[in-house]
C-alpha cells in the first residue's frame, strides 16, 4: 500500500474508537472497544493495531485524542498520562508510554476536543481559519481551542466545560451534576444534567419541551464568555446533545442577546448562522482529530 498510514484513537468514557487512516483521510479499518479498566481497554486497542499492521502495513504514527484531564505538555513529568479523572481506575494511566513501548512509533496525545478542533481547522468547518473553538456537548462538556493555528495549552489544556455560569431564572433549585463544581457548564447543561433535571434522557424530550429553551440559554452563556475571552473566528458545536439541530436558532438568538451589541464584529452581528456552526466533519471530528495528532507527532 502506498503512502503513510496513521493509527487513531478517540478515547471516551464509554468507548475507545480505533481506526487506521491513510493520508487522504480514508478510514481503512475501524473498531470500538468498551472503556473498562486501563489494562483491558488499552490492551484491546493495541491488539487491534498490531493485527491491522499485519494486514495493511506499518503505521507511521499513532494519535490519541482522549478524555481528560490529561497532561499533553511534552517535557512534563506527567506527559502522556490521564490525570485525576473521576473515571474509576484511570487516574495517572500512562497512555502514551504504553503505546510507544509496544508499537515503537511516534505517538501524539491531546484531549478529544483539542483533537477535534485541530481536525476541523485542517479539513472541516474551520478550514483556513487561525482561531476557533470546538465544543462537544453530550455525556460531558469540553472545549478545545486553536489560537494562531496552534492548539491551545497553558498551565494545562483548557477546561471550558467546568467554567461556572450564572443561573438562569427559575433554575436555581437544580444543584447540577458535576461532582467537582455542581453548577458549572457541564453540571448544568450536559446530557446527564438534562436527564437529572427533567427525569428523562435528553433524546426523549420533545422539541417544544422547556428543557431546550433552558439548554440553549446555558450554551449561549458559555459561548458569550468564550467570545469575550478568546475572540475565535468561529465556534463549532458537536456532541450528542447538539444532534437536536433545532437548538441552533435558539443559541444564535440568545448569544446575540447576551453579547448585547458589545462585540461589534459584522461576522457575528450579520452572520451568526455562519459563526456558530455544526462540525464540518460530522461524527468523524474526533477520530480524524486523532489522525491529525498522529501527523503532528510524525512531522
Amino acid at each position: 500500500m502506498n503512502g503513510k498510514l496513521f493509527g487513531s484513537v478517540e478515547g471516551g468514557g464509554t468507548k475507545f474508537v480505533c481506526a487506521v487512516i491513510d493520508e487522504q483521510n480514508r478510514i481503512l479499518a475501524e473498531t470500538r472497544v468498551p472503556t473498562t479498566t486501563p489494562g483491558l481497554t488499552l490492551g484491546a486497542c493495541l491488539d487491534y493495531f498490531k493485527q491491522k499492521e499485519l494486514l495493511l502495513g506499518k503505521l507511521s504514527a499513532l494519535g490519541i485524542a482522549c478524555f481528560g484531564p490529561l497532561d499533553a505538555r511534552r517535557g512534563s513529568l506527567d506527559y502522556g498520562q490521564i490525570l485525576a479523572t473521576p473515571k474509576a481506575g484511570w487516574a495517572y494511566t500512562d497512555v502514551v508510554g504504553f503505546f510507544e513501548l509496544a508499537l515503537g512509533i511516534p505517538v501524539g496525545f491531546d484531549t478529544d476536543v483539542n483533537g477535534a478542533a485541530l481536525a476541523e481547522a485542517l479539513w472541516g468547518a474551520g478550514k483556513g481559519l487561525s482561531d476557533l473553538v470546538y465544543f462537544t456537548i453530550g455525556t460531558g462538556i469540553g472545549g478545545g481551542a486553536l489560537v494562531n493555528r496552534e492548539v491551545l495549552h497553558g498551565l494545562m489544556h483548557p477546561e471550558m466545560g467546568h467554567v461556572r455560569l450564572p443561573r438562569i431564572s427559575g433554575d436555581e433549585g437544580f444543584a447540577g451534576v458535576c461532582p467537582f463544581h455542581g453548577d458549572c457548564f457541564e453540571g448544568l447543561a450536559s446530557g446527564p444534567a438534562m436527564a437529572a433535571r427533567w427525569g428523562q434522557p435528553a433524546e426523549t424530550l420533545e422539541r417544544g419541551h422547556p428543557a431546550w429553551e433552558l439548554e440553549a440559554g446555558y450554551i449561549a452563556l458559555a459561548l458569550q464568555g468564550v467570545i469575550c475571552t478568546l475572540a475565535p473566528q468561529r465556534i463549532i458545536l458537536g456532541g450528542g446533545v447538539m444532534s437536536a439541530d433545532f437548538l441552533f436558532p435558539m443559541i444564535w438568538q440568545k448569544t446575540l442577546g447576551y453579547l448585547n451589541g458589545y462585540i461589534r464584529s459584522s461576522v457575528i452581528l450579520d452572520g451568526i448562522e455562519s459563526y456558530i456552526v455544526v462540525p464540518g466533519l460530522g461524527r468523524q471530528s474526533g477520530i480524524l482529530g486523532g489522525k491529525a495528532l498522529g501527523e503532528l507527532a510524525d512531522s
Side-chain angles (χ1 to χ4, degrees):
M1 183 172 291
N2 296 324
K4 291 184 175 183
L5 297 178
F6 295 91
S8 175
V9 175
E10 182 183 5
T14 58
K15 66 180 180 299
F16 273 47
V17 181
C18 302
V20 177
I21 305 173
D22 69 10
E23 291 181 286
Q24 288 73 46
N25 286 347
R26 290 178 297 208
I27 298 176
L28 306 180
E30 185 176 0
T31 194
R32 284 157 173 74
V33 174
T35 306
T36 56
T37 66
L40 289 174
T41 304
L42 300 183
C45 295
L46 175 61
D47 289 344
Y48 179 77
F49 286 121
K50 285 185 172 180
Q51 291 168 10
K52 293 307 170 186
E53 282 192 321
L54 293 175
L55 293 171
L56 300 171
K58 182 68 176 175
L59 298 176
S60 295
L62 174 68
I64 303 169
C66 190
F67 72 88
L70 53 79
D71 193 334
R73 302 168 299 160
R74 289 190 177 273
S76 166
L77 291 176
D78 294 327
Y79 171 71
Q81 295 186 24
I82 294 174
L83 301 178
T85 176
K87 185 69 176 175
W90 281 82
Y92 300 100
T93 297
D94 186 2
V95 178
V96 170
F98 176 84
F99 285 105
E100 280 184 338
L101 181 63
L103 294 174
I105 57 177
V107 178
F109 185 62
D110 213 318
T111 62
D112 47 0
V113 282
N114 267 348
L118 180 60
E120 286 289 335
L122 290 170
W123 308 300
K127 188 174 181 179
L129 301 179
S130 61
D131 298 77
L132 63 85
V133 168
Y134 176 96
F135 274 104
T136 184
I137 302 172
T139 303
I141 295 179
L146 208 72
V147 177
N148 292 329
R149 297 185 173 84
E150 297 284 341
V151 175
L152 180 62
H153 294 126
L155 183 65
M156 55 179 292
H157 53 80
E159 282 285 2
M160 300 182 201
H162 292 275
V163 172
R164 303 295 282 267
L165 300 177
R167 286 303 188 113
I168 291 175
S169 178
D171 192 46
E172 295 84 359
F174 179 63
V177 299
C178 175
F180 293 96
H181 313 114
D183 58 354
C184 60
F185 186 17
E186 181 173 295
L188 292 173
S190 63
M194 295 183 74
R197 184 188 283 109
W198 301 105
Q200 62 187 100
E203 59 268 25
T204 68
L205 296 166
E206 65 272 16
R207 180 169 181 164
H209 195 284
W212 298 113
E213 192 77 19
L214 188 65
E215 180 72 4
Y218 281 126
I219 293 171
L221 280 169
L223 300 193
Q224 184 252 345
V226 164
I227 291 166
C228 292
T229 303
L230 293 177
Q233 294 169 295
R234 188 160 295 150
I235 298 175
I236 302 166
L237 301 181
V241 170
M242 296 312 304
S243 61
D245 56 3
F246 55 82
L247 268 174
F248 277 88
M250 291 188 280
I251 292 168
W252 296 333
Q253 180 187 32
K254 290 177 183 297
T255 302
L256 288 172
Y258 290 135
L259 288 169
N260 198 30
Y262 183 73
I263 305 296
R264 303 299 301 171
S265 169
S266 61
V267 172
I268 293 175
L269 294 176
D270 301 329
I272 191 76
E273 303 88 353
S274 300
Y275 181 70
I276 301 169
V277 300
V278 300
L281 300 174
R283 295 183 180 273
Q284 294 186 339
S285 300
I287 200 65
L288 288 177
K291 189 253 187 175
L293 294 170
E295 286 185 331
L296 283 179
D298 189 48
S299 60

